[in-house]
Every structure is written in C-alpha cells, then in structure tokens.
Amino acid sequence: DTKTLTRMNYIPPPNFGCVEDYLYRSGTPNELNFPFLETLHLKKIIYLAPEDPSQHLQRFVDDHDIELIFLGVDQHTNPWNPISEETVIYSLKILLDPKNYPLLIMCGLGRHKTGTVVGCLRKLQRWNLTSIFEEYRRYAGNKVRLNNEQFIELFDTDLVGIPENKPS
C-alpha cells in the first residue's frame, strides 16, 4: 500500500517528543528528518546547540519560512556547564507566547540544554520535581547531568513573567 510506505518515510529527529500541543523538542535533525518536520508546520525553532546550524538545516528553514532563533552557547564556555540563566529565560519567553507555535526547541542531541529549558517550563507549570526529573532523565538516558537537575531545582520562576495570552 502506497500510503503505508509514504508514512514509513517520516523519521523524527533524535529524542523527538511533544512537550505540549504544538510545542516539540528534539536533537538536531538531518535531511532524513525534514519530511517529518514538514508535517509539524513549524513557525519557529529555538536552536540551543553551540555549533552553527548545518547548511541543510538552514536551507530547510529558509525554504519553509521557519524562523530559526539561534541561542547557542558561547563557544568559550565549558560544554559541561549548564545552559545560562539568561538563555533559559529568553527561551521561556518565546515558549510562553502561543503566537510562536508550532515551535520546536532543539540542541545537539535533545538532552541537556533542551531538557533544562523544558524542565524550567515544567517548574513554571508547577510540576513537582520528581516528575520534572523523570522527564529530564527519560530524554537524557544514561547521560544525566546532575548540575542540570540542580539548575532546574534552583531556577527562580519569578524571573519569567507569564504573558496575558498564555498558552492553554
């Protein structure tokens, strides 16, 4: 059946997941993932990886009128350090505005930087820490970084204003 064969060609990026309706997370996609990403009709992508986006990814977002927001970490910082508080706050402001949806947040493998931002979003949503860490660990696998969990635990949600037109 042709429809089944076509559907099988949709390959999500590594560590892809749905955070909320029209809000997704993943690792950096390659060309095999682009047909799948097309089905999401993305408006914006928050890109947290420290390296510049590949030419293929840049071409994909240009061809599909997707705004790529590059918030990669400063090249001079230690990649083991948690994402900066400023980057998390800026990312959350974008995530909290439903005009930006459908939106994808990504980093290299979709584990640490993406997981930290999503963890801080969950804290804003008043999830308990056990549930936040369970979600973080599900995506981080055996590569859990305790400093990221500590960052989430100590993150001050008062630093992020909830917009009037908050997502439901």
Side-chain angles (χ1 to χ4, degrees):
D1 179 312
T2 312
K3 287 182 180 176
T4 306
L5 186 60
T6 305
R7 240 182 268 127
M8 289 172 43
N9 289 330
Y10 291 124
I11 303 166
N15 257 338
F16 178 83
C18 185
V19 178
E20 296 290 338
D21 288 345
Y22 305 107
L23 174 59
Y24 310 98
R25 62 174 293 162
S26 77
T28 304
N30 63 40
E31 301 90 298
L32 292 174
N33 308 130
F34 294 160
F36 174 83
L37 291 180
E38 282 181 51
T39 68
L40 302 178
H41 305 289
L42 297 169
K43 278 190 189 175
K44 296 189 183 191
I45 294 175
I46 298 175
Y47 185 75
L48 299 169
E51 53 278 337
D52 288 333
S54 70
Q55 288 182 335
H56 296 290
L57 178 59
Q58 194 63 60
R59 194 172 315 116
F60 173 78
V61 297
D62 291 346
D63 290 348
H64 292 87
D65 284 329
I66 300 168
E67 182 182 345
L68 184 65
I69 303 165
F70 180 56
L71 300 179
V73 206
D74 180 16
Q75 298 283 351
H76 304 294
T77 61
N78 181 339
W80 290 92
N81 288 346
I83 189 170
S84 75
E85 186 175 70
E86 295 77 28
T87 302
V88 171
I89 292 167
Y90 188 70
S91 298
L92 289 171
K93 286 180 179 177
I94 296 167
L95 293 181
L96 290 171
D97 187 348
K99 288 185 302 220
N100 296 323
Y101 287 25
L103 184 141
L104 173 65
I105 181 168
M106 69 167 79
C107 61
L109 294 172
R111 290 179 179 154
H112 304 299
K113 292 172 180 43
T114 299
T116 302
V117 171
V118 171
C120 292
L121 173 67
R122 299 306 192 197
K123 196 168 177 188
L124 271 173
Q125 294 174 315
R126 305 214 187 284
W127 280 31
N128 67 55
L129 278 177
T130 304
S131 298
I132 294 171
F133 292 159
E134 190 280 325
E135 182 180 46
Y136 171 79
R137 292 171 184 159
R138 189 169 353 119
Y139 287 94
N142 62 356
K143 304 285 188 200
V144 168
R145 293 186 183 161
L146 295 178
N147 56 356
N148 288 337
E149 291 185 343
Q150 183 180 43
F151 181 98
I152 294 166
E153 182 176 359
L154 299 176
F155 181 71
D156 182 0
T157 55
D158 290 339
L159 296 173
V160 182
I162 307 295
E164 292 298 315
N165 58 344
K166 62 183 178 282
S168 50

